[in-house]
Amino acid sequence: MTQGLLQWSPCHQSLSLSFTIPTTKHTQLPLSISATLEPATSTQQHLTARERRQLRNERRESKAGTNWKEQVEEKLLEKPTKKFANWKEELNINNLAREGPQWWIVKVSRLKGQETAQLIARLLARNYPHIDFKVYAPAIHERKKLKNGTYSVKPKPLFPGCVFIRCVLDKEIHDFIRECDGVGGFVGALVGNTKRQITRPRPVSEFDMEAIFRQAKEEQQKAEQAFEQDQQEAALNSGLNSDDAVKSTGDSKPKRRSRKTLDPLINGSSKGKNEKLVPGSSVRVVSGTFAEYVGSLKKLNRRTKKATVGFTLFGKESLVDLDVSEIVSETM
Protein backbone atom coordinates (compact mmCIF):
# COMPACT_ATOMS: atom_id res chain seq x y z
CA MET A 1 0.00 0.00 0.00
CA THR A 2 1.39 3.31 -1.04
CA GLN A 3 0.36 6.77 0.09
CA GLY A 4 0.66 10.05 -1.79
CA LEU A 5 0.73 13.63 -0.41
CA LEU A 6 -0.23 16.65 -2.49
CA GLN A 7 0.38 20.22 -1.39
CA TRP A 8 -1.29 23.37 -2.77
CA SER A 9 -0.72 26.78 -1.30
CA PRO A 10 -2.27 29.70 -3.20
CA CYS A 11 -2.61 33.08 -1.46
CA HIS A 12 -0.24 32.13 1.36
CA GLN A 13 -2.37 29.17 2.50
CA SER A 14 -1.40 25.48 2.51
CA LEU A 15 -3.81 22.67 1.69
CA SER A 16 -2.74 19.07 2.30
CA LEU A 17 -4.60 16.07 0.86
CA SER A 18 -3.89 12.43 1.77
CA PHE A 19 -5.52 9.42 0.18
CA THR A 20 -4.96 5.64 0.05
CA ILE A 21 -4.77 3.63 -3.20
CA PRO A 22 -5.17 -0.19 -3.21
CA THR A 23 -2.06 -2.19 -4.34
CA THR A 24 -3.86 -4.89 -6.32
CA LYS A 25 -6.88 -4.97 -8.55
CA HIS A 26 -8.49 -7.95 -6.79
CA THR A 27 -8.45 -6.53 -3.32
CA GLN A 28 -11.07 -3.86 -2.62
CA LEU A 29 -10.15 -1.57 0.21
CA PRO A 30 -12.05 1.54 1.34
CA LEU A 31 -10.73 4.76 -0.09
CA SER A 32 -9.99 7.38 2.59
CA ILE A 33 -9.33 11.02 1.80
CA SER A 34 -8.42 13.67 4.36
CA ALA A 35 -7.87 17.38 3.78
CA THR A 36 -6.54 20.08 6.05
CA LEU A 37 -6.48 23.82 5.45
CA GLU A 38 -3.73 25.65 7.27
CA PRO A 39 -3.70 29.45 7.15
CA ALA A 40 -0.35 30.84 6.30
CA THR A 41 -0.60 34.50 7.21
CA SER A 42 2.79 34.71 8.78
CA THR A 43 4.11 36.71 5.82
CA GLN A 44 1.31 39.30 6.10
CA GLN A 45 1.76 39.64 9.83
CA HIS A 46 5.38 40.68 9.38
CA LEU A 47 4.51 43.43 6.84
CA THR A 48 4.66 46.99 8.08
CA ALA A 49 2.04 49.61 7.42
CA ARG A 50 4.18 51.22 4.75
CA GLU A 51 4.59 47.93 2.91
CA ARG A 52 0.86 47.27 3.05
CA ARG A 53 0.17 50.68 1.52
CA GLN A 54 2.64 49.97 -1.25
CA LEU A 55 0.95 46.66 -2.02
CA ARG A 56 -2.45 48.35 -2.11
CA ASN A 57 -1.19 51.03 -4.48
CA GLU A 58 0.37 48.39 -6.74
CA ARG A 59 -2.92 46.52 -6.96
CA ARG A 60 -4.71 49.73 -7.89
CA GLU A 61 -2.18 50.61 -10.57
CA SER A 62 -2.16 47.07 -11.93
CA LYS A 63 -5.74 47.46 -13.16
CA ALA A 64 -5.60 48.06 -16.89
CA GLY A 65 -6.96 51.34 -18.20
CA THR A 66 -7.87 52.83 -14.80
CA ASN A 67 -6.07 55.36 -12.67
CA TRP A 68 -7.76 55.98 -9.36
CA LYS A 69 -5.88 59.22 -8.74
CA GLU A 70 -7.16 60.73 -11.96
CA GLN A 71 -10.71 59.64 -11.17
CA VAL A 72 -10.61 61.34 -7.78
CA GLU A 73 -9.18 64.52 -9.27
CA GLU A 74 -11.87 64.59 -11.97
CA LYS A 75 -14.64 64.27 -9.40
CA LEU A 76 -13.19 67.08 -7.36
CA LEU A 77 -12.86 69.32 -10.40
CA GLU A 78 -16.41 68.72 -11.58
CA LYS A 79 -18.66 71.71 -10.86
CA PRO A 80 -22.45 71.53 -10.65
CA THR A 81 -24.24 73.05 -13.58
CA LYS A 82 -25.66 76.45 -12.80
CA LYS A 83 -29.40 76.81 -13.06
CA PHE A 84 -29.13 80.50 -13.85
CA ALA A 85 -26.65 82.28 -16.08
CA ASN A 86 -26.03 85.08 -13.56
CA TRP A 87 -27.17 86.13 -10.12
CA LYS A 88 -29.72 88.61 -11.46
CA GLU A 89 -31.78 85.85 -13.07
CA GLU A 90 -31.97 84.06 -9.74
CA LEU A 91 -33.56 87.16 -8.22
CA ASN A 92 -36.22 87.31 -10.93
CA ILE A 93 -39.49 86.11 -9.39
CA ASN A 94 -41.08 85.69 -12.84
CA ASN A 95 -38.97 82.56 -13.34
CA LEU A 96 -41.18 80.80 -10.78
CA ALA A 97 -44.06 80.85 -13.28
CA ARG A 98 -42.17 78.30 -15.41
CA GLU A 99 -42.85 75.63 -12.77
CA GLY A 100 -46.60 75.95 -13.32
CA PRO A 101 -49.19 75.83 -10.53
CA GLN A 102 -47.52 74.96 -7.25
CA TRP A 103 -48.33 75.06 -3.55
CA TRP A 104 -46.69 77.94 -1.67
CA ILE A 105 -46.57 78.74 2.04
CA VAL A 106 -47.47 82.25 3.20
CA LYS A 107 -46.51 83.45 6.68
CA VAL A 108 -49.41 85.06 8.56
CA SER A 109 -50.30 85.98 12.12
CA ARG A 110 -50.76 83.03 14.48
CA LEU A 111 -53.88 84.57 16.04
CA LYS A 112 -55.67 85.71 12.86
CA GLY A 113 -54.62 83.04 10.39
CA GLN A 114 -58.16 82.10 9.32
CA GLU A 115 -59.21 85.73 8.82
CA THR A 116 -56.09 86.45 6.76
CA ALA A 117 -56.71 83.39 4.56
CA GLN A 118 -60.26 84.55 3.84
CA LEU A 119 -59.00 88.06 3.08
CA ILE A 120 -56.40 86.76 0.59
CA ALA A 121 -59.03 84.62 -1.15
CA ARG A 122 -61.46 87.55 -1.48
CA LEU A 123 -58.82 89.96 -2.79
CA LEU A 124 -57.45 87.49 -5.34
CA ALA A 125 -60.94 86.67 -6.61
CA ARG A 126 -61.76 90.37 -6.92
CA ASN A 127 -58.54 91.61 -8.54
CA TYR A 128 -57.50 88.52 -10.56
CA PRO A 129 -60.70 86.71 -11.60
CA HIS A 130 -58.97 85.06 -14.58
CA ILE A 131 -56.42 83.02 -12.59
CA ASP A 132 -57.05 79.72 -10.84
CA PHE A 133 -55.99 79.57 -7.22
CA LYS A 134 -56.72 77.73 -3.99
CA VAL A 135 -56.27 79.02 -0.45
CA TYR A 136 -56.03 76.37 2.25
CA ALA A 137 -55.69 77.02 5.98
CA PRO A 138 -55.79 73.60 7.71
CA ALA A 139 -57.75 73.77 10.96
CA ILE A 140 -59.66 71.46 13.30
CA HIS A 141 -63.24 72.57 14.02
CA GLU A 142 -63.84 71.90 17.71
CA ARG A 143 -67.41 71.87 19.03
CA LYS A 144 -68.29 72.75 22.60
CA LYS A 145 -71.59 72.95 24.44
CA LEU A 146 -72.25 76.21 26.26
CA LYS A 147 -74.16 76.67 29.51
CA ASN A 148 -77.23 78.01 27.71
CA GLY A 149 -77.51 74.77 25.71
CA THR A 150 -76.14 76.05 22.39
CA TYR A 151 -73.06 74.71 20.60
CA SER A 152 -70.05 76.76 19.56
CA VAL A 153 -67.69 75.76 16.73
CA LYS A 154 -64.19 77.20 16.96
CA PRO A 155 -61.43 76.45 14.41
CA LYS A 156 -58.08 75.39 15.84
CA PRO A 157 -55.21 75.89 13.33
CA LEU A 158 -53.24 72.76 12.54
CA PHE A 159 -50.21 74.81 11.43
CA PRO A 160 -50.46 78.18 13.21
CA GLY A 161 -48.97 81.03 11.22
CA CYS A 162 -49.09 79.26 7.83
CA VAL A 163 -51.51 79.49 4.90
CA PHE A 164 -51.11 77.37 1.76
CA ILE A 165 -51.81 78.88 -1.67
CA ARG A 166 -51.83 77.01 -4.98
CA CYS A 167 -51.35 79.18 -8.06
CA VAL A 168 -48.96 80.14 -10.84
CA LEU A 169 -46.71 82.54 -8.98
CA ASP A 170 -45.10 85.47 -10.76
CA LYS A 171 -43.81 88.80 -9.53
CA GLU A 172 -47.18 90.55 -9.79
CA ILE A 173 -49.07 87.93 -7.77
CA HIS A 174 -46.15 87.64 -5.37
CA ASP A 175 -46.09 91.35 -4.60
CA PHE A 176 -49.89 91.54 -4.36
CA ILE A 177 -50.06 88.78 -1.73
CA ARG A 178 -47.20 90.31 0.26
CA GLU A 179 -49.04 93.64 0.46
CA CYS A 180 -52.19 92.07 1.99
CA ASP A 181 -52.91 92.90 5.62
CA GLY A 182 -51.56 90.31 8.04
CA VAL A 183 -49.14 88.70 5.55
CA GLY A 184 -45.49 88.42 6.58
CA GLY A 185 -44.09 87.03 3.34
CA PHE A 186 -43.42 83.67 1.72
CA VAL A 187 -41.50 80.72 3.11
CA GLY A 188 -38.36 80.21 1.04
CA ALA A 189 -34.60 80.54 0.86
CA LEU A 190 -32.42 83.63 0.91
CA VAL A 191 -30.72 84.11 -2.48
CA GLY A 192 -28.50 86.78 -3.97
CA ASN A 193 -25.20 88.31 -3.01
CA THR A 194 -23.92 91.16 -0.90
CA LYS A 195 -25.39 93.71 -3.30
CA ARG A 196 -28.95 92.45 -3.19
CA GLN A 197 -30.74 89.61 -1.42
CA ILE A 198 -34.34 88.42 -1.50
CA THR A 199 -36.33 85.52 -0.08
CA ARG A 200 -37.12 83.29 -3.03
CA PRO A 201 -40.34 81.30 -2.37
CA ARG A 202 -39.90 77.55 -2.22
CA PRO A 203 -42.76 75.33 -3.47
CA VAL A 204 -44.23 72.45 -1.48
CA SER A 205 -44.28 69.05 -3.15
CA GLU A 206 -47.51 67.21 -3.89
CA PHE A 207 -46.42 64.36 -1.63
CA ASP A 208 -46.10 66.69 1.35
CA MET A 209 -49.48 68.29 0.64
CA GLU A 210 -51.18 64.90 0.53
CA ALA A 211 -49.66 64.13 3.93
CA ILE A 212 -51.02 67.45 5.26
CA PHE A 213 -54.52 66.70 3.92
CA ARG A 214 -54.40 63.25 5.50
CA GLN A 215 -53.25 64.62 8.85
CA ALA A 216 -56.02 67.25 8.91
CA LYS A 217 -58.66 64.60 8.19
CA GLU A 218 -57.40 62.31 10.96
CA GLU A 219 -57.25 65.13 13.52
CA GLN A 220 -60.81 66.19 12.65
CA GLN A 221 -62.09 62.65 13.18
CA LYS A 222 -60.36 62.46 16.56
CA ALA A 223 -61.93 65.77 17.63
CA GLU A 224 -65.42 64.57 16.66
CA GLN A 225 -64.98 61.31 18.56
CA ALA A 226 -63.81 63.20 21.66
CA PHE A 227 -66.86 65.50 21.44
CA GLU A 228 -69.24 62.53 21.24
CA GLN A 229 -67.62 60.91 24.27
CA ASP A 230 -67.95 64.14 26.26
CA GLN A 231 -71.63 64.35 25.34
CA GLN A 232 -72.26 60.81 26.53
CA GLU A 233 -70.46 61.42 29.82
CA ALA A 234 -72.37 64.67 30.36
CA ALA A 235 -75.70 62.89 29.76
CA LEU A 236 -74.83 60.22 32.32
CA ASN A 237 -73.72 62.79 34.89
CA SER A 238 -76.88 64.88 34.41
CA GLY A 239 -79.04 61.80 34.99
CA LEU A 240 -77.26 61.01 38.23
CA ASN A 241 -77.46 64.62 39.43
CA SER A 242 -81.21 64.79 38.77
CA ASP A 243 -81.80 61.67 40.88
CA ASP A 244 -79.75 63.12 43.73
CA ALA A 245 -81.65 66.41 43.54
CA VAL A 246 -85.01 64.64 43.85
CA LYS A 247 -83.83 62.76 46.93
CA SER A 248 -82.39 65.88 48.56
CA THR A 249 -85.59 67.89 48.04
CA GLY A 250 -87.64 65.16 49.66
CA ASP A 251 -85.32 65.01 52.67
CA SER A 252 -84.92 68.76 53.12
CA LYS A 253 -88.62 69.70 53.01
CA PRO A 254 -89.54 71.13 56.43
CA LYS A 255 -92.33 69.53 58.41
CA ARG A 256 -95.54 71.47 58.90
CA ARG A 257 -96.93 72.05 62.34
CA SER A 258 -100.52 71.85 63.38
CA ARG A 259 -102.56 75.00 63.65
CA LYS A 260 -103.06 74.48 67.37
CA THR A 261 -99.38 74.60 68.18
CA LEU A 262 -98.87 77.65 65.94
CA ASP A 263 -101.59 79.76 67.50
CA PRO A 264 -99.91 82.36 69.72
CA LEU A 265 -103.07 82.74 71.82
CA ILE A 266 -102.92 79.11 72.88
CA ASN A 267 -99.19 78.92 73.49
CA GLY A 268 -98.97 82.26 75.20
CA SER A 269 -98.01 85.75 74.14
CA SER A 270 -95.43 86.12 71.39
CA LYS A 271 -93.73 88.92 73.28
CA GLY A 272 -92.47 86.55 75.92
CA LYS A 273 -91.11 84.16 73.33
CA ASN A 274 -89.40 86.91 71.38
CA GLU A 275 -87.40 87.73 74.46
CA LYS A 276 -85.90 84.23 74.27
CA LEU A 277 -84.64 84.73 70.71
CA VAL A 278 -80.87 84.24 70.64
CA PRO A 279 -78.65 83.90 67.53
CA GLY A 280 -78.13 80.21 66.91
CA SER A 281 -81.44 79.09 68.40
CA SER A 282 -84.14 77.30 66.46
CA VAL A 283 -87.11 79.46 65.41
CA ARG A 284 -90.40 78.89 63.65
CA VAL A 285 -92.14 81.25 61.23
CA VAL A 286 -95.75 81.92 62.20
CA SER A 287 -96.84 84.18 59.32
CA GLY A 288 -95.81 85.43 55.94
CA THR A 289 -94.42 83.62 52.92
CA PHE A 290 -92.37 81.14 54.96
CA ALA A 291 -95.13 80.35 57.45
CA GLU A 292 -94.76 77.07 59.36
CA TYR A 293 -91.09 76.72 58.34
CA VAL A 294 -88.45 75.95 60.96
CA GLY A 295 -85.00 77.45 60.69
CA SER A 296 -81.98 78.70 62.57
CA LEU A 297 -81.67 82.30 63.76
CA LYS A 298 -78.48 83.79 62.34
CA LYS A 299 -78.73 87.49 63.26
CA LEU A 300 -81.11 89.60 65.36
CA ASN A 301 -81.38 93.39 65.26
CA ARG A 302 -83.72 94.56 68.02
CA ARG A 303 -83.46 98.20 66.94
CA THR A 304 -84.87 97.59 63.45
CA LYS A 305 -86.80 94.53 64.61
CA LYS A 306 -85.34 92.44 61.80
CA ALA A 307 -84.06 88.88 62.03
CA THR A 308 -82.02 86.81 59.59
CA VAL A 309 -83.16 83.19 59.53
CA GLY A 310 -81.47 80.33 57.66
CA PHE A 311 -83.62 77.64 56.04
CA THR A 312 -82.44 74.39 54.46
CA LEU A 313 -84.00 74.26 50.99
CA PHE A 314 -83.08 71.66 48.34
CA GLY A 315 -80.06 70.59 50.32
CA LYS A 316 -78.64 74.13 50.59
CA GLU A 317 -78.97 76.76 53.30
CA SER A 318 -80.79 79.96 52.28
CA LEU A 319 -80.82 83.16 54.37
CA VAL A 320 -84.06 85.18 54.64
CA ASP A 321 -84.68 88.52 56.42
CA LEU A 322 -87.95 88.52 58.42
CA ASP A 323 -89.67 90.71 60.98
CA VAL A 324 -89.26 89.70 64.60
CA SER A 325 -93.04 89.52 64.93
CA GLU A 326 -93.15 86.75 62.30
CA ILE A 327 -90.97 84.29 64.21
CA VAL A 328 -91.14 82.59 67.57
CA SER A 329 -88.66 80.48 69.46
CA GLU A 330 -89.02 76.77 68.79
CA THR A 331 -89.34 74.67 71.94
CA MET A 332 -87.52 71.38 71.90
Side-chain angles (χ1 to χ4, degrees):
M1 182 181 295
T2 61
Q3 294 182 353
L5 181 63
L6 299 178
Q7 292 185 354
W8 176 53
S9 58
C11 299
H12 306 287
Q13 291 182 350
S14 62
L15 177 66
S16 62
L17 297 174
S18 63
F19 54 91
T20 305
I21 302 175
T23 56
T24 61
K25 296 181 180 180
H26 300 285
T27 60
Q28 296 181 358
L29 296 176
L31 180 64
S32 62
I33 299 175
S34 62
T36 59
L37 181 63
E38 298 177 356
T41 59
S42 59
T43 57
Q44 291 184 355
Q45 293 178 356
H46 296 293
L47 293 177
T48 61
R50 183 176 182 180
E51 293 174 350
R52 288 196 297 271
R53 286 196 299 270
Q54 291 178 356
L55 291 175
R56 185 169 61 251
N57 294 336
E58 290 177 359
R59 286 196 300 270
R60 288 177 177 176
E61 294 176 356
S62 63
K63 295 181 180 180
T66 59
N67 189 348
W68 64 274
K69 291 183 179 180
E70 294 180 358
Q71 292 179 358
V72 173
E73 291 177 357
E74 289 177 358
K75 289 182 179 180
L76 294 176
L77 292 176
E78 287 180 357
K79 294 182 179 180
T81 57
K82 291 184 178 181
K83 191 175 181 180
F84 304 99
N86 51 34
W87 63 274
K88 292 184 178 180
E89 290 186 4
E90 189 176 7
L91 301 180
N92 190 3
I93 302 297
N94 290 324
N95 293 330
L96 297 175
R98 301 175 183 175
E99 301 179 3
Q102 297 286 338
W103 283 100
W104 313 93
I105 303 177
V106 179
K107 294 182 289 185
V108 297
S109 174
R110 296 174 64 91
L111 300 178
K112 298 182 179 180
Q114 297 291 328
E115 292 81 355
T116 306
Q118 296 175 3
L119 177 63
I120 294 173
R122 288 198 303 267
L123 294 177
L124 286 176
R126 183 187 306 169
N127 294 275
Y128 300 95
H130 59 280
I131 66 171
D132 296 333
F133 67 91
K134 293 180 182 179
V135 180
Y136 178 58
I140 303 170
H141 298 278
E142 295 182 345
R143 291 190 299 170
K144 291 184 179 180
K145 186 176 181 180
L146 303 180
K147 293 182 179 180
N148 57 3
T150 60
Y151 294 92
S152 67
V153 180
K154 185 177 180 181
K156 180 181 178 182
L158 190 60
F159 300 99
C162 295
V163 173
F164 299 87
I165 298 179
R166 179 179 174 83
C167 64
V168 178
L169 191 65
D170 55 6
K171 183 172 177 55
E172 184 179 359
I173 303 297
H174 174 270
D175 295 343
F176 179 80
I177 294 175
R178 280 183 58 90
E179 293 176 358
C180 294
D181 294 337
V183 175
F186 285 80
V187 175
L190 193 66
V191 296
N193 53 16
T194 56
K195 295 182 180 180
R196 184 186 175 190
Q197 290 182 349
I198 64 169
T199 301
R200 183 183 178 86
R202 182 180 299 171
V204 184
S205 63
E206 295 292 340
F207 178 78
D208 294 339
M209 290 304 303
E210 290 178 359
I212 292 173
F213 295 148
R214 194 182 310 111
Q215 182 180 357
K217 185 177 180 181
E218 293 175 356
E219 294 293 337
Q220 184 64 37
Q221 292 177 355
K222 291 180 181 179
E224 293 178 356
Q225 293 177 359
F227 176 75
E228 292 177 357
Q229 292 179 359
D230 294 341
Q231 289 294 105
Q232 294 176 359
E233 293 178 359
L236 294 175
N237 294 333
S238 62
L240 295 176
N241 293 334
S242 61
D243 295 341
D244 296 340
V246 171
K247 292 180 181 179
S248 62
T249 53
D251 297 339
S252 63
K253 188 175 181 180
K255 297 180 180 180
R256 292 181 177 271
R257 302 291 181 176
S258 62
R259 296 293 298 177
K260 293 182 179 180
T261 57
L262 295 176
D263 194 352
L265 298 177
I266 298 175
N267 295 331
S269 62
S270 61
K271 185 182 292 184
K273 291 192 176 183
N274 288 341
E275 294 177 356
K276 298 179 182 179
L277 295 176
V278 179
S281 62
S282 179
V283 295
R284 184 177 71 254
V285 183
V286 295
S287 63
T289 307
F290 298 91
E292 302 179 3
Y293 279 74
V294 178
S296 176
L297 182 62
K298 299 296 182 181
K299 187 187 295 184
L300 178 63
N301 192 344
R302 297 185 182 277
R303 181 179 300 176
T304 58
K305 295 183 180 180
K306 293 290 184 180
T308 302
V309 183
F311 299 104
T312 304
L313 302 175
F314 303 101
K316 295 182 180 180
E317 187 178 15
S318 301
L319 300 179
V320 181
D321 293 333
L322 301 173
D323 292 333
V324 177
S325 60
E326 295 179 356
I327 60 174
V328 294
S329 178
E330 178 72 6
T331 57
M332 301 302 292

